[in-house]
Amino acid sequence: MLLRTILANVCLFACAFALISRTSRPRYHYLPSLQEQAKIQDGWRNSRIENIPSILRKHGVDAWLISQREYAEDTVFWSLKSAAQFSARRRTVHLFFADPPEGMQSAYRFIDNTDAVFQSLNDLFEAYRPETIVLNVDKDIAFAGGLHVGVYDELRTKLDSKWLDRFTANPIVAVEYVATMLTAQLEWYKRLQETAWAMISDAFSERVITPGETTTENVEWWLRDKIQAMNYSTWFMPDVTVVGETDGFATDTSDPSDPRATERVGETTIKYGDLLHVDFGVTALGMNTDTQHLAYVLGPDEKDDDIPKGFRDGLAKVNRLQDIVRENMVVGKSGNDILSASLAQMRSEGLEGRIYCHPIGDWGHSAGTLIGMTNLQDGVPVLGDLPLLESTYYSVELYAEHFVPERNLTMNFYQEEDVYWVDGNQWDWVYGQQTKFHLIRSEQQASEGLTIQNA
């Protein structure tokens, strides 16, 4: 009887712990086999390529020609290739048409190292008679400027001269192709984002951090190890800092004498009472995430409710600033117009801060308009003039300033969350918004604070 009672209690505790995990913490999502991942990615890629003719028609062009050599790929190539392709081969050429004649296709690909490919291109141009042929030769936008000079010269030398005057630069074609994300991708993108949250939740906990011993660099490398252990990757080194007076990240100043340009890096030991910041992203299935969260290190005698009010008010301010930006993200408006409207509303509500949001998806800093940069709060040349596109993902990245009486210091409260286009002018969080601090407790605090949440 005693043994049965013990086993029942163990089972009850295990079930309770599982309930805690399900209801209070983001979950890890494991990736399928590489073969299954390739099938998923190639399905997405095929659907995106099928959409190219509509993009060409939308922007009034007849053809799009992309050419590159092995290891000298056009930027767009990485959004055109199959999952099992690791580089361009020999000379790889893609050609797309907006309105193919009846019985002819809209997309062609050539892999060749002879001049026969140029005759094939000439024959296709004769058959389709395009008036405009877009090349990726834009001087300002990386996603529309990936055609190498030598390849461009080769096209001009080896294609019939009558087509040369029809070459044109129209950067929005490449930008929209790379930026547009499919509805089918969203389910996995949400899983990636929740996994990023789960990794941050573990990194910012007593399971990883022991105040007075653990350094910010230790936490960065724990995150890298966790990414690798789960067969994910990343597009930048995790960055963990103690938020304080010398936040160089926020200022991005080129003046080394400016005290704000001093960023605390390396072996910074985490202490009780620290406010921690992480900048973190994961990569999988050809997609990238970008998240910034804050954590508080509870003192030995502090409880969850003892977080300084100044910190809690700072987090509430930056949450409001996030919502302001989302409210002003109107499809068709330029990033600079969205920035201006967001900053005006921010100031009208008595807030101060900086806004520097970017597209995300195929790349960490993907194709699309920029909504500010840390050092460009009056507008971003060229990239900020692009229109905000629908069916895209964005990283709402920013900070709000707040005076913290408990520290007698004005501090920057950083946040970054990814959003996706829902419909009309509505943007929703891919996973969520951080409205409460991650808490680093002592082992004793963690065990004493164990509670069961109702399902």
Side-chain angles (χ1 to χ4, degrees):
M1 183 68 181
L2 178 59
L3 178 60
R4 184 177 302 172
T5 302
I6 293 172
L7 290 175
N9 288 335
V10 168
C11 181
L12 178 62
F13 180 82
C15 293
F17 185 79
L19 182 60
I20 294 168
S21 299
R22 287 198 302 272
T23 58
S24 63
R25 295 181 58 79
R27 298 177 300 159
Y28 286 102
H29 293 275
Y30 292 89
L31 300 173
S33 69
L34 290 176
Q35 184 177 17
E36 183 61 27
Q37 288 184 57
K39 289 179 182 178
I40 293 169
Q41 288 179 255
D42 287 346
W44 295 340
R45 181 203 64 155
N46 294 340
S47 296
R48 295 174 72 183
I49 288 176
E50 289 172 1
N51 191 46
I52 289 177
S54 67
I55 294 175
L56 299 182
R57 290 192 295 271
K58 175 181 176 180
H59 298 292
V61 296
D62 300 320
W64 186 19
L65 177 60
I66 303 160
S67 182
Q68 59 259 301
R69 298 190 184 96
E70 189 172 11
Y71 307 135
E73 292 83 4
D74 189 302
T75 317
V76 173
F77 168 82
W78 304 106
S79 298
L80 291 169
K81 74 175 190 68
S82 69
Q85 189 175 4
F86 294 91
S87 68
R89 293 182 57 220
R90 300 171 181 172
R91 181 195 293 109
T92 299
V93 179
H94 293 270
L95 178 60
F96 302 99
F97 291 100
D99 293 298
E102 185 176 354
M104 301 190 73
Q105 60 198 59
S106 61
Y108 295 86
R109 186 185 70 158
F110 303 90
I111 297 176
D112 199 346
N113 58 359
T114 74
D115 285 352
V117 66
F118 298 106
Q119 185 56 52
S120 297
L121 292 173
N122 283 322
D123 292 343
L124 286 170
F125 287 148
E126 285 290 349
Y128 286 75
R129 311 295 297 179
E131 291 298 320
T132 51
I133 304 169
V134 170
L135 301 180
N136 293 337
V137 292
D138 189 82
K139 66 182 180 65
D140 296 307
I141 301 174
F143 298 98
L147 184 66
H148 286 226
V149 172
V151 177
Y152 176 69
D153 289 343
E154 186 176 50
L155 293 173
R156 295 194 63 86
T157 300
K158 296 182 178 179
L159 290 177
D160 288 348
S161 59
K162 61 184 173 183
W163 307 118
L164 304 187
D165 290 340
R166 306 185 191 191
F167 288 168
T168 184
N170 195 332
I172 196 64
V173 170
V175 167
E176 184 159 347
Y177 172 71
V178 175
T180 301
M181 310 304 290
L182 303 172
T183 301
Q185 293 176 270
L186 184 59
E187 180 182 356
W188 262 110
Y189 196 58
K190 288 184 174 183
R191 294 175 186 176
L192 265 60
Q193 189 69 64
E194 185 174 10
T195 298
W197 272 58
M199 290 182 182
I200 292 171
S201 295
D202 277 341
F204 277 167
S205 75
E206 61 280 353
R207 291 179 292 280
V208 174
I209 295 174
T210 301
E213 297 180 15
T214 308
T215 68
T216 53
E217 189 175 34
N218 293 152
V219 183
E220 292 169 350
W221 283 104
W222 183 92
L223 285 165
R224 279 293 301 275
D225 286 339
K226 188 65 175 180
I227 289 169
Q228 182 166 310
M230 292 196 62
N231 293 322
Y232 281 68
S233 183
T234 187
W235 58 282
F236 66 97
M237 180 68 188
D239 183 55
V240 177
T241 55
V242 178
V243 181
E245 187 173 8
T246 54
D247 295 327
F249 172 77
T251 306
D252 204 13
T253 177
S254 59
D255 180 6
S257 65
D258 188 331
R260 296 172 298 172
T262 304
E263 186 174 3
R264 292 184 288 173
V265 297
E267 293 289 339
T268 301
T269 301
I270 296 169
K271 305 183 297 297
Y272 293 117
D274 277 345
L275 181 64
L276 303 181
H277 164 258
V278 66
D279 190 357
F280 179 68
V282 299
T283 300
L285 292 161
M287 300 183 293
N288 301 273
T289 72
D290 203 357
T291 306
Q292 292 183 38
H293 280 187
L294 296 169
Y296 179 68
V297 185
L298 288 169
D301 299 323
E302 287 185 313
K303 301 187 184 307
D304 292 8
D305 294 337
D306 293 331
I307 302 170
K309 183 177 183 300
F311 285 176
R312 286 183 273 120
D313 291 344
L315 181 58
K317 278 188 176 181
V318 74
N319 286 159
R320 177 56 193 147
L321 185 54
Q322 289 176 298
D323 292 336
I324 287 173
V325 172
R326 279 200 308 156
E327 292 166 9
N328 283 284
M329 289 178 64
V330 178
V331 169
K333 290 182 66 175
S334 73
N336 287 335
D337 287 343
I338 295 168
L339 173 66
S340 178
S342 298
L343 289 173
Q345 185 175 346
M346 175 189 79
R347 290 164 184 149
S348 72
E349 295 187 18
L351 305 176
E352 290 295 332
R354 294 193 185 203
I355 297 168
Y356 36 97
C357 309
H358 61 84
I360 193 166
D362 285 12
W363 302 81
H365 294 152
S366 197
T369 193
L370 294 185
I371 306 172
M373 296 186 76
T374 55
N375 61 329
L376 296 173
Q377 292 293 282
D378 294 324
V380 181
V382 183
L383 290 172
D385 294 325
L386 294 173
L388 180 65
L389 300 169
E390 62 183 36
S391 300
T392 56
Y393 302 157
Y394 263 78
S395 294
V396 177
E397 183 177 9
L398 39 74
Y399 73 82
E401 298 175 10
H402 180 66
F403 179 74
V404 179
E406 295 89 342
R407 298 291 174 89
N408 192 31
L409 184 68
T410 297
M411 300 176 67
N412 298 328
F413 289 79
Y414 304 95
Q415 283 289 287
E416 183 174 16
E417 297 292 355
D418 296 338
V419 297
Y420 68 98
W421 182 77
V422 180
D423 192 14
N425 290 317
Q426 183 181 352
W427 299 80
D428 199 4
W429 305 114
V430 174
Y431 178 71
Q433 180 184 33
Q434 187 194 11
T435 58
K436 295 182 179 180
F437 290 102
H438 299 279
L439 295 178
I440 294 94
R441 306 175 176 89
S442 67
E443 291 186 8
Q444 180 179 351
Q445 288 170 326
S447 61
E448 290 175 351
L450 184 66
T451 57
I452 300 175
Q453 298 187 4
N454 293 323

